[in-house]
Amino acid sequence: MKQLIIATKNKGKAEEFKIMFAKYGINAISLLELEEDIPDIEETGSTFEENAALKSEGIMKLLNIPVMADDSGLMIDALDGRPGIFSARYAGEPKDDQANIVKVLKELENVQDPNRTARFVCVLSVSIPGQPTLFKKGSCEGKIALAESGSHGFGYDPIFIPEGYEQTMAELEPNIKNKISHRYHAMVQLEEWIQNLS
Amino acid sequence: MKQLIIATKNKGKAEEFKIMFAKYGINAISLLELEEDIPDIEETGSTFEENAALKSEGIMKLLNIPVMADDSGLMIDALDGRPGIFSARYAGEPKDDQANIVKVLKELENVQDPNRTARFVCVLSVSIPGQPTLFKKGSCEGKIALAESGSHGFGYDPIFIPEGYEQTMAELEPNIKNKISHRYHAMVQLEEWIQNLS
């Protein structure tokens, strides 16, 4: 594997993945840099794995080269794992981080510590022509804060307090967040797999 | 804080800590580099925290400067958390990694997956003159393998399979192990604390 498409249009994410792959001599190209126009793929799956695979397999079939995709979300125990795969649009269309946070805090209004446990989950899928899709899953355990706080990050970061910390993800400096996040943990597993390839 | 003693004579550990502290302008010195002769401190505590604090507070009182110490071990659920603080000498004196592994595998002989869950735990303590000792705890979830395998690392690494991986800690390359270990997780928390100091 010398080249791979990263199925994301998020510049920050793409940059992180590019650096990791470059260490192993793999040229990772994001959808932002592709000349081909890739149609948006609807995430109609019922799990993170299915949604990630819809993207990596869909684009792999179009271009016939290895593709990596990701899907992630927040799972809250007191809400039976919701918002889960619906994390990005939990409060409806259009995607609105603030509305999602308000909805979650409202739903947890009567839930006290230690029942506010939750985890961020990230699934990476890699689809290589002629091979079964590979999945790597990472998580970050924590709990939902009583109120939002902090300005870093995005999504549910302002209400998620990682285990071992007293601040929310959005209060932690990005260099710390990037060392404990669900994506970090999935990426280390992927890195281990790449290392065994080469 | 401009200078700090790392209460370890382990060169590899000391090096990792030195690099982390250097990022924040802190000159970390291990016991290997000290001219003073520091007497060995007996780990007579009943928790990782107590044992780490015995070392960091003991040396802090001798030298009157900030000291960081660590204590770590393996906690196996089916053995009610043993070997825990007795990890290094579980099979008795003198310290023998191989004998410890044989003892654990024997004790788990009749325990099947999914009841072989375990975690590596690391506690870092920082003692600063005139301040209460600070603790940061990191862990790495996983399970005990049926047989030992792999040649990297030390201690129980050949029988510990981290969550999300199929190999033992001793089969993983050191650069991967260092990104998922209990010490890694404790260090990130310590780093977050240092960052807030400066």
Side-chain angles (χ1 to χ4, degrees):
Chain A
M1 196 161 63
K2 285 264 174 282
Q3 206 173 47
L4 167 138
I5 303 288
I6 307 170
T8 185
K9 290 180 179 167
N10 178 312
K11 209 172 169 178
K13 262 195 214 177
E15 215 40 57
E16 255 189 79
F17 286 123
K18 278 160 110 48
I19 291 168
M20 193 262 280
F21 283 112
K23 282 198 276 180
Y24 301 94
I26 298 168
N27 179 24
I29 301 162
S30 79
L31 295 185
L32 293 168
E33 302 158 84
L34 269 193
E35 296 200 0
E36 285 95 327
D37 196 26
I38 305 292
D40 278 341
I41 289 172
E42 270 208 83
E43 301 184 6
T44 54
S46 57
T47 62
F48 296 119
E49 282 81 356
E50 275 181 73
N51 281 333
L54 279 169
K55 291 180 274 185
S56 61
E57 292 176 7
I59 299 173
M60 179 267 281
K61 280 169 191 164
L62 278 173
L63 304 177
N64 203 37
I65 70 166
V67 178
M68 190 203 78
D70 76 318
D71 197 41
S72 58
L74 176 66
M75 301 185 75
I76 301 174
D77 293 321
L79 303 180
D80 298 323
R82 275 180 290 125
I85 57 164
F86 305 109
S87 293
R89 288 167 177 78
Y90 195 43
E93 295 284 359
K95 181 170 179 297
D96 180 341
D97 284 353
Q98 191 53 40
N100 291 337
I101 284 176
V102 168
K103 182 171 177 182
V104 162
L105 288 179
K106 176 86 186 144
E107 289 185 318
L108 292 180
E109 220 171 23
N110 298 314
V111 181
Q112 319 298 330
D113 237 352
N115 297 319
R116 297 177 70 92
T117 51
R119 65 203 48 79
F120 272 126
V121 175
C122 171
V123 170
L124 299 176
S125 65
V126 178
S127 297
I128 299 177
Q131 295 186 23
T133 293
L134 169 100
F135 298 99
K136 296 292 177 186
K137 190 175 199 161
S139 63
C140 177
E141 296 287 328
K143 63 180 179 183
I144 304 301
L146 294 171
E148 61 181 305
S149 151
S151 54
H152 298 302
F154 56 90
Y156 296 92
D157 285 354
I159 56 168
F160 185 84
I161 301 174
E163 207 174 283
Y165 295 81
E166 278 146 34
Q167 304 93 319
T168 66
M169 218 48 147
E171 289 177 294
L172 293 173
E173 294 293 328
N175 70 331
I176 299 294
K177 178 190 161 180
N178 291 342
K179 287 177 174 175
I180 63 170
S181 74
H182 45 316
R183 193 158 78 240
Y184 170 86
H185 290 285
M187 279 180 71
V188 176
Q189 290 178 48
L190 189 68
E191 184 169 346
E192 187 269 329
W193 172 79
I194 296 167
Q195 202 163 281
N196 280 345
L197 274 190
S198 32
Chain B
M1 195 161 61
K2 287 265 175 278
Q3 206 172 48
L4 167 138
I5 303 287
I6 307 172
T8 185
K9 290 179 179 170
N10 178 312
K11 210 172 167 177
K13 261 194 215 176
E15 215 39 56
E16 255 190 79
F17 286 124
K18 280 160 105 55
I19 291 168
M20 193 263 280
F21 283 112
K23 282 198 275 179
Y24 300 95
I26 298 168
N27 179 25
I29 302 161
S30 80
L31 296 183
L32 294 168
E33 301 158 85
L34 269 193
E35 297 200 357
E36 286 95 327
D37 196 25
I38 305 293
D40 278 340
I41 290 172
E42 271 208 84
E43 301 183 6
T44 54
S46 56
T47 62
F48 296 119
E49 282 81 357
E50 274 182 75
N51 281 333
L54 280 168
K55 291 180 274 185
S56 61
E57 290 176 7
I59 298 172
M60 181 268 282
K61 280 169 189 160
L62 279 174
L63 304 177
N64 202 37
I65 70 164
V67 179
M68 191 203 76
D70 76 317
D71 196 42
S72 57
L74 175 66
M75 302 185 74
I76 301 174
D77 293 321
L79 303 179
D80 298 325
R82 274 182 290 123
I85 57 165
F86 306 109
S87 293
R89 287 165 178 80
Y90 195 42
E93 294 283 358
K95 182 173 178 293
D96 181 343
D97 285 352
Q98 190 54 40
N100 292 338
I101 284 176
V102 169
K103 180 169 178 183
V104 162
L105 288 179
K106 177 89 185 138
E107 290 186 318
L108 292 180
E109 220 171 23
N110 298 314
V111 179
Q112 319 300 328
D113 235 354
N115 298 319
R116 297 176 72 91
T117 50
R119 65 202 51 77
F120 272 127
V121 175
C122 171
V123 169
L124 299 177
S125 65
V126 178
S127 297
I128 299 177
Q131 295 185 22
T133 293
L134 169 98
F135 297 99
K136 295 293 174 185
K137 189 176 202 160
S139 63
C140 177
E141 297 287 327
K143 62 180 181 185
I144 304 302
L146 294 172
E148 61 181 305
S149 153
S151 55
H152 298 301
F154 56 91
Y156 296 92
D157 285 353
I159 57 168
F160 185 83
I161 302 175
E163 207 174 283
Y165 295 81
E166 278 146 33
Q167 304 94 319
T168 67
M169 227 28 159
E171 290 176 295
L172 292 172
E173 293 294 328
N175 71 331
I176 299 293
K177 177 189 161 180
N178 290 342
K179 286 177 175 175
I180 62 168
S181 75
H182 45 315
R183 193 158 80 243
Y184 169 86
H185 290 285
M187 278 180 71
V188 177
Q189 289 176 49
L190 190 67
E191 185 170 346
E192 187 269 327
W193 173 78
I194 297 166
Q195 201 164 285
N196 280 345
L197 274 189
S198 32

